[in-house]
């Protein structure tokens, strides 16, 4: 834990470049007692609690943590520090909005790892998130807003969510994407935030309608494309291009709008 002070300063300096000023005059870091294969990493206001976790390679767990998550310790610390923005500055209004705190904290942590240690480590993390999500059963619902009512909350908010916003960043381009995040945190500083607020802010920054936020539309039987004319999700049979992710419930691919017939469970594309 003695080495984490300089790392905290590096992370905070990086976050201020696109998330705005650090929201508290100081930050305290403390270590909780050790736990065998357990995680109690939390971030109250102006405080981060990290728990040392013993992971033995003899138990076959070392590879699970290390191979797919380069710079594990830095990523965990960056995630918890990001909660000072995503969770304390932007405060989820309801359980349907809580995904914002975890998905964006994890995305922020991945961005830091990529900036500090190299793009290859950012890509490795994102690729592992996509792979872990796509190992889930085909009928798992990929709704971010319903994540905390799901038995699959963790892979939805920590794996699926960050990868979806990685795709959104590529489609919006960096300047409007990061400007949108910055404006969202500035406009709703210490307010209760909702998914609709986030969507409105990002659409304003992108200057176009975004559909990423409606993956659970029409009773989850069809999923929106990530932008108006660029499919980002795919069904269990075909992947339209490498930068897509399975949406669950056999999500359909389409470029435009659709009409859903609930009685016959059919989708007609416009």
């Amino acid at each position: 834990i003695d080495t984490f002070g300089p790392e905290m300063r590096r992370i905070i300096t990086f976050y201020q470049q696109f998330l705005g000023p650090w929201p508290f005059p100081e930050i305290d870091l403390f270590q909780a007692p050790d736990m065998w294969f357990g995680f109690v990493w939390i971030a109250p206001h102006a405080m981060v609690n990290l728990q040392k976790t013993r992971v033995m390679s003899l138990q076959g767990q070392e590879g699970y943590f290390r191979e797919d998550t380069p710079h594990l310790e830095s990523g965990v610390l960056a995630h918890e520090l990001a909660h000072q923005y995503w969770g304390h500055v932007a405060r989820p209004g309801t359980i349907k909005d809580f995904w914002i705190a975890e998905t964006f904290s994890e995305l922020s942590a991945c961005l830091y790892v990529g900036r500090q240690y190299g793009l290859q480590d950012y890509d490795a993390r994102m690729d592992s998130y996509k792979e872990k999500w796509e190992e889930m059963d085909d009928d798992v619902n990929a709704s971010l807003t319903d994540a905390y009512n799901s038995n699959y909350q963790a892979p939805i908010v920590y794996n699926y969510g960050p990868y979806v916003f990685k795709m959104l960043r590529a489609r919006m381009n960096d300047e409007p994407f990061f400007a949108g995040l910055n404006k969202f945190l500035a406009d709703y500083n210490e307010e209760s935030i909702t998914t609709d607020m986030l969507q409105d802010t990002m659409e304003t920054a992108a200057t176009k309608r975004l559909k990423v936020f409606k993956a659970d539309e029409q009773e989850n039987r069809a999923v929106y494309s990530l932008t108006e004319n660029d499919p980002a999700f795919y069904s269990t049979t075909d992947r339209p291009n490498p930068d897509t992710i399975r949406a669950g419930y056999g999500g359909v691919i389409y470029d435009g709008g659709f009409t859903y017939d609930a009685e016959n469970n059919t989708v007609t594309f416009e």
Side-chain angles (χ1 to χ4, degrees), residues 13-58:
T13 298
F14 172 69
Y15 284 164
Q16 290 184 106
Q17 296 176 32
F18 67 98
L19 297 180
W22 185 249
F24 300 104
E26 63 180 31
I27 181 76
D28 292 324
L29 172 70
F30 67 95
Q31 181 178 322
D34 296 357
M35 179 181 289
W36 168 258
F37 197 61
F39 302 91
V40 182
W41 298 332
I42 61 173
H45 285 73
M47 184 179 294
V48 171
N49 170 9
L50 296 180
Q51 183 175 66
K52 185 176 179 181
T53 303
R54 295 190 295 270
V55 180
M56 292 294 213
S57 59
L58 292 177

Side-chain angles (χ1 to χ4, degrees), residues 21-169:
W22 185 249
F24 300 104
E26 63 180 31
I27 181 76
D28 292 324
L29 172 70
F30 67 95
Q31 181 178 322
D34 296 357
M35 179 181 289
W36 168 258
F37 197 61
F39 302 91
V40 182
W41 298 332
I42 61 173
H45 285 73
M47 184 179 294
V48 171
N49 170 9
L50 296 180
Q51 183 175 66
K52 185 176 179 181
T53 303
R54 295 190 295 270
V55 180
M56 292 294 213
S57 59
L58 292 177
Q59 299 297 321
Q61 300 298 334
E62 182 74 6
Y64 175 83
F65 289 101
R66 299 291 176 189
E67 291 176 5
D68 297 336
T69 51
H71 306 285
L72 174 65
E73 292 85 357
S74 291
V76 170
L77 179 60
H79 176 106
E80 299 307 331
L81 286 170
H83 275 308
Q84 304 301 322
Y85 293 99
W86 306 109
H88 298 319
V89 172
R91 303 172 179 178
T94 71
I95 194 67
K96 284 185 171 291
D97 309 303
F98 203 81
W99 68 270
I100 297 172
E102 294 300 340
T103 287
F104 279 96
S105 289
E106 188 59 24
L107 177 64
S108 300
C110 290
L111 291 168
Y112 171 73
V113 169
R115 172 62 66 87
Q116 185 66 23
Y117 301 104
L119 182 60
Q120 73 281 352
D121 290 332
Y122 169 81
D123 289 338
R125 281 173 166 258
M126 285 296 175
D127 288 346
S128 74
Y129 293 166
K130 179 167 68 171
E131 290 169 6
K132 288 175 181 176
W133 169 253
E134 294 188 344
E135 290 172 356
M136 308 295 293
D137 293 338
D138 290 345
D139 61 352
V140 174
N141 175 14
S143 169
L144 289 167
T145 53
D146 285 342
Y148 283 84
N149 293 318
S150 169
N151 292 329
Y152 302 96
Q153 169 263 323
I156 291 172
V157 301
Y158 295 114
N159 299 152
Y160 175 78
Y163 196 86
V164 165
F165 281 89
K166 168 187 178 290
M167 297 193 296
L168 182 63
R169 175 190 173 192

